[in-house]
Amino acid sequence: MKILKSVKFVEMIRLIFIVIMLSVTKNANAQFLKNLFKYSTVYTSGNISMPLQSDNKEFFVTQEGEVRDITIEPKYDYRYSIGIRKIARFDYENRANRYYDGSEQNVSLTSNIGAVKGWEYLFQNDWIKNRGDEYKNQRYFVRYLGKRFIVKAEQRNEGAINLKYTAADVRFRFPIGSKVNISAGAVYRNSEKVFGYNPIEEYLEPDTVNWWDLANDYGYKDHGYYIIGDPEKSIDWYWTDTTGVRVADSDLDFRKHVYKRLVNRYNREKLSKFKSFGYVSAIVGYDVYHYSDKFYLHNWISVMPINKLLHGDEDFSYVSFVEDKWIDYQVGLLTGIYIGKKKQFGFYIEAEYSKLWDKKIYNAQVGVNYNFK
């Protein structure tokens, strides 16, 4: 009985302690959440636009002389976005729109050092249709910039180039004055994609395999016929699908309209069998930032020179498809200058380039402005 009372007494003391701690930290937690969401914006947007159209029509003439209009009529393009963001702009960046719509491209998302200390984040989903291609983009980004360290986590899905990965890195930060920062640490990257591997190339590599074997594997059949009136008795093939419906009048017609879909299907099926790959990499970088009324310069580099596979099928990891050790990197350069007392003439360069495994993401622009005053 004494033991039971002692246990109950200890539990009561523990409960009282928890209540006290919650009451003490209540104001601190409320202040933390207030600071975390201060200056953040929740947004959603939708856009529909006319697609690119051409006056040229595309026709196909069958062996029976039937003319078929095979022109693909494009439908409208669209972009729908939803997200929440807290990303500080650098001094040289202007807000592009009155309202956030998800199309903003802030430098802070790719540079090593943000414009402010503390928390920054972006959680955004996009549903896009552009020139007939439909895909989804996702970007989840969180970073904390401290006085001597940087912590960042990111998940990114670029549907247009089929790039999807998750990354988390921790770096020590070494400021040199107020304009230069050196950073070094480690980054973990996880990807569900097999980089550098093309299953259809492996399928067609043996001399005993023909391109039409893949079509036969999926139930398509070719039927030979002679072209009437051809003195050399040239032969071609028409194709039927799994139900016996004629889908192409020649090999060329089949490869152009049907076979490419089979290749994509085969690649998807093979690649879907692989689980995720995890890599850990050493990462070093620097940032240079200068801003004045007439000149600004922002340059950053992150290099991952050492990459090791942590988990995943080693035979299909990226290192097995490159001849030597690979180096991934991200580079950015933004600079602009105004000339004249009234800053009438302006010249700027903006460029970003990222190499991640066998994927490349880049954009660049250069421009000249002259303001009449």
Side-chain angles (χ1 to χ4, degrees):
M1 182 66 67
K2 290 183 179 180
I3 295 176
L4 181 60
K5 289 183 178 180
S6 298
V7 172
K8 289 183 177 181
F9 177 76
V10 171
E11 291 297 329
M12 183 179 66
I13 294 297
R14 181 181 297 174
L15 179 61
I16 294 174
F17 177 77
I18 292 174
V19 171
I20 293 174
M21 289 301 297
L22 289 175
S23 62
V24 170
T25 59
K26 180 179 180 181
N27 292 333
N29 291 334
Q31 186 63 36
F32 172 78
L33 292 175
K34 182 179 179 180
N35 293 334
L36 182 65
F37 290 103
K38 189 176 182 180
Y39 303 123
S40 66
T41 303
V42 178
Y43 57 92
T44 181
S45 67
N47 172 270
I48 297 178
S49 60
M50 181 183 296
L52 181 66
Q53 298 184 11
S54 174
D55 293 333
N56 297 325
K57 291 285 188 178
E58 187 174 355
F59 299 96
F60 180 78
V61 180
T62 68
Q63 292 296 333
E64 291 78 14
E66 179 185 356
V67 179
R68 298 179 183 176
D69 185 352
I70 60 173
T71 306
I72 299 176
E73 295 293 338
K75 296 182 179 180
Y76 60 86
D77 292 336
Y78 61 78
R79 180 189 182 107
Y80 306 116
S81 301
I82 184 171
I84 179 173
R85 59 179 291 131
K86 181 182 178 181
I87 303 294
R89 298 189 302 273
F90 287 94
D91 296 318
Y92 58 83
E93 290 186 285
N94 295 318
R95 183 166 176 171
N97 303 311
R98 188 186 302 270
Y99 300 99
Y100 288 117
D101 62 8
S103 63
E104 296 79 14
Q105 298 293 328
N106 289 88
V107 174
S108 291
L109 295 175
T110 52
S111 62
N112 304 319
I113 306 297
V116 296
K117 292 182 179 179
W119 290 103
E120 290 185 285
Y121 50 82
L122 171 70
F123 298 90
Q124 179 172 309
N125 282 267
D126 303 313
W127 295 266
I128 302 171
K129 181 180 179 183
N130 184 23
R131 298 185 180 183
D133 294 328
E134 294 184 82
Y135 53 90
K136 184 178 180 180
N137 285 351
Q138 292 176 309
R139 192 158 194 179
Y140 305 146
F141 172 92
V142 178
R143 178 175 59 204
Y144 183 83
L145 178 63
K147 185 177 181 180
R148 296 293 181 183
F149 66 93
I150 309 165
V151 178
K152 183 175 74 172
E154 180 178 22
Q155 185 179 81
R156 190 170 184 180
N157 180 16
E158 292 290 335
I161 60 174
N162 194 24
L163 173 63
K164 183 177 181 179
Y165 71 93
T166 302
D169 69 79
V170 179
R171 306 192 207 185
F172 292 103
R173 177 187 178 192
F174 307 97
I176 302 176
S178 60
K179 299 181 179 180
V180 180
N181 279 272
I182 306 296
S183 58
V187 57
Y188 168 78
R189 295 181 292 167
N190 180 279
S191 174
E192 298 176 1
K193 179 176 174 56
V194 181
F195 295 100
Y197 172 55
N198 188 1
I200 189 61
E201 290 183 350
E202 183 182 60
Y203 178 91
L204 296 173
E205 185 176 0
D207 295 334
T208 56
V209 176
N210 300 299
W211 66 266
W212 56 82
D213 291 333
L214 180 68
N216 297 152
D217 291 343
Y218 283 113
Y220 287 83
K221 301 297 182 181
D222 54 338
H223 310 271
Y225 64 89
Y226 289 99
I227 300 176
I228 299 175
D230 189 333
E232 298 181 0
K233 297 292 183 180
S234 298
I235 192 170
D236 209 331
W237 288 263
Y238 71 88
W239 286 83
T240 56
D241 63 13
T242 55
T243 62
V245 175
R246 188 165 175 167
V247 295
D249 291 304
S250 66
D251 276 351
L252 179 61
D253 184 24
F254 183 77
R255 290 198 304 270
K256 184 177 181 180
H257 297 101
V258 180
Y259 191 73
K260 60 183 181 181
R261 296 197 299 269
L262 297 182
V263 170
N264 292 334
R265 176 182 172 183
Y266 177 79
N267 281 346
R268 286 195 303 268
E269 291 175 353
K270 288 296 182 181
L271 294 175
S272 65
K273 296 179 179 180
F274 293 98
K275 297 181 179 180
S276 62
F277 295 82
Y279 303 87
V280 63
S281 308
I283 186 168
V284 294
Y286 78 82
D287 291 68
V288 177
Y289 180 70
H290 168 79
Y291 177 81
S292 68
D293 192 38
K294 290 188 176 183
F295 173 73
Y296 68 86
L297 171 67
H298 191 180
N299 174 227
W300 69 90
I301 294 177
S302 278
V303 181
M304 288 161 272
I306 303 174
N307 303 276
K308 298 293 184 181
L309 179 70
L310 279 187
H311 62 81
D313 191 334
E314 186 174 358
D315 292 335
F316 291 92
S317 66
Y318 186 59
V319 68
S320 64
F321 297 105
V322 292
E323 295 181 357
D324 202 349
K325 296 180 180 179
W326 84 94
I327 299 177
D328 287 346
Y329 53 87
Q330 295 177 296
V331 182
L333 172 64
L334 295 94
T335 185
I337 186 171
Y338 291 101
I339 300 175
K341 293 182 179 180
K342 296 182 179 181
K343 300 190 298 184
Q344 288 181 273
F345 179 82
F347 174 77
Y348 69 90
I349 298 175
E350 298 181 357
E352 294 182 53
Y353 190 97
S354 298
K355 177 192 171 296
L356 304 172
W357 296 288
D358 63 352
K359 297 296 183 180
K360 299 177 178 61
I361 306 174
Y362 57 88
N363 63 80
Q365 61 177 332
V366 59
V368 176
N369 288 187
Y370 186 84
N371 299 317
F372 291 91
K373 296 182 179 182

